[in-house]
Amino acid sequence: MKKIAVLGYGVVGSGVVELFYKNKAKIEKNTGAELDVKYILDLREFPGDPYEDKVVHDISVILNDPEVCYVAECMGGVNPAFQFVSSCLEAGKSVATSNKQLVAEKGDILLQLAKKNDCNFFFEASVGGAIPCIRPLHTCLAGNDISAVAGILNGTTNFILEKMFCDEMAFDDALKLAQELGYAERDPSADVDGADACRKVCILASLVFGKHVYPDSVYTKGIRDIALEDVQLAQTFGSAIKLIGSVKRLEDGRILPAVMPMVVPSDSLISHVDGVFNAVMVWGDGFDKTMFYGRGAGKLPTASAVLGDIIDAVKAAHTVTSHEWILADNTDFIADMDAFSAPRFYRTAACCADAAEQAAAALGLEVCKTAENGCIVSACDNKTAEAFAKALEEAGASVLAQIPVLAD
Ligand code: HSE
């Protein structure tokens, strides 16, 4: 019998154990292997828990047990997860992780370690929760030249934005509810300020473009500055505001990864992705455009992806089927926001239409939509966007918010 160890018995780890035992017979039939969870590693005790006898506190118990072939890492954070996962891979045990931070910061090293030790390092749960998007990018869509990926990669912020829009719920109350539902990170500022989505962009960008993209190379802006008035004006323009994580290849071959709130027109499928749901859109030469959609956070959805990876590792036996990318020794292949271009949404304090027409004409922009307190203008770079804002100010329509618009 092959044994599984689960590292971390929090929301996701306990979900992995729960789902495993619920579907054990089916999982064993699928893999053709007898499987069991032998250990659960956590610092805490869990008196009364049905699996309390499996709880251990010392990683060496797992490392030194040859029966344990598969490890589900659900601890979060880089330390000590990096040391634990490295040691498991060095011992030839395949690892499935839900830990975005670990993959975004150390994925290149861990993938190499897995390969060297004839085992697998899988991380489907690290992006999009239950949505299968990592594996399809690496397998089903691998025959394409992928040019861009963009999506809603954080369930907590999407949930908060929806609660603000639809229920006029205060930001803090919506965040508290997201925490109660197990969506939010331990430190919710990672959700709200965009770090969680940034890590997911790093993973997608590394996977698609083949070189490790580290979090500090990604322009990241969260949703703290979004006001209810912005949301309402966006609605007037038939749009929603979403936190979008994206990476695209530019004409010069560099890539531009970014996380920021964007105005999303209602004719884009992404604008209808609400609550804790995530969506990942991918553009490629053969298939044109496709979208993956599903629950992006929560106990069992995330556990579902971790278990899928464990099943894949069991089926792969000693074949290394892990995804791969190379270490990046410089960031020359990554462009900064000077290369960013998009239509822009402006919310203003006073009548906007005449001021917008006047300012746009001077800068060679087109006014796409106007309302009493704002407008949308055609695509431009950041410098032009600032010049337009200044011109609006000079014409008496002081700018209260400026948000890029997602164009398909
Ligand atoms: N806090 C994350 C989110 C959890 O809200 O999307 C899943 O990665």
Side-chain angles (χ1 to χ4, degrees), residues 100 125-126 153-157 183-185 191 196 200 278 296-297 302:
K100 298 107 357 195
S126 67
L153 304 176
N154 183 268
T156 301
T157 45
Y183 302 155
E185 295 301 301
D191 295 299
D196 177 75
K200 293 165 180 168
N278 282 190
T302 311

Side-chain angles (χ1 to χ4, degrees), residues 207-334:
L207 184 66
V208 167
F209 296 107
K211 261 190 190 178
H212 198 112
V213 175
Y214 298 98
D216 55 8
S217 302
V218 180
Y219 172 82
T220 302
K221 187 174 184 332
I223 64 164
R224 275 191 209 272
D225 295 343
I226 301 298
L228 197 54
E229 291 82 356
D230 297 326
V231 170
Q232 286 164 340
L233 179 60
Q235 276 174 341
T236 310
F237 291 145
S239 302
I241 297 180
K242 302 283 183 190
L243 183 67
I244 300 292
S246 65
V247 58
K248 72 187 281 195
R249 194 179 49 229
L250 306 175
E251 276 176 16
D252 64 11
R254 292 179 303 158
I255 62 168
L256 178 55
V259 173
M260 63 190 128
M262 298 188 88
V263 171
V264 184
S266 62
D267 56 4
S268 167
L269 280 176
I270 285 189
S271 75
H272 304 286
V273 174
D274 285 327
V276 73
F277 283 81
N278 282 190
V280 182
M281 300 201 67
V282 187
W283 287 260
D285 52 0
F287 63 90
D288 182 23
K289 180 165 81 171
T290 196
M291 184 169 108
F292 303 95
Y293 169 83
R295 286 188 182 275
K299 179 176 171 170
L300 293 181
T302 311
S304 145
V306 175
L307 266 185
D309 277 352
I310 295 283
I311 291 167
D312 222 25
V314 175
K315 286 178 164 176
H318 285 289
T319 321
V320 179
T321 62
S322 293
H323 333 294
E324 208 186 335
W325 58 72
I326 59 169
L327 255 99
D329 50 9
N330 63 60
T331 53
D332 294 351
F333 66 106
I334 301 175

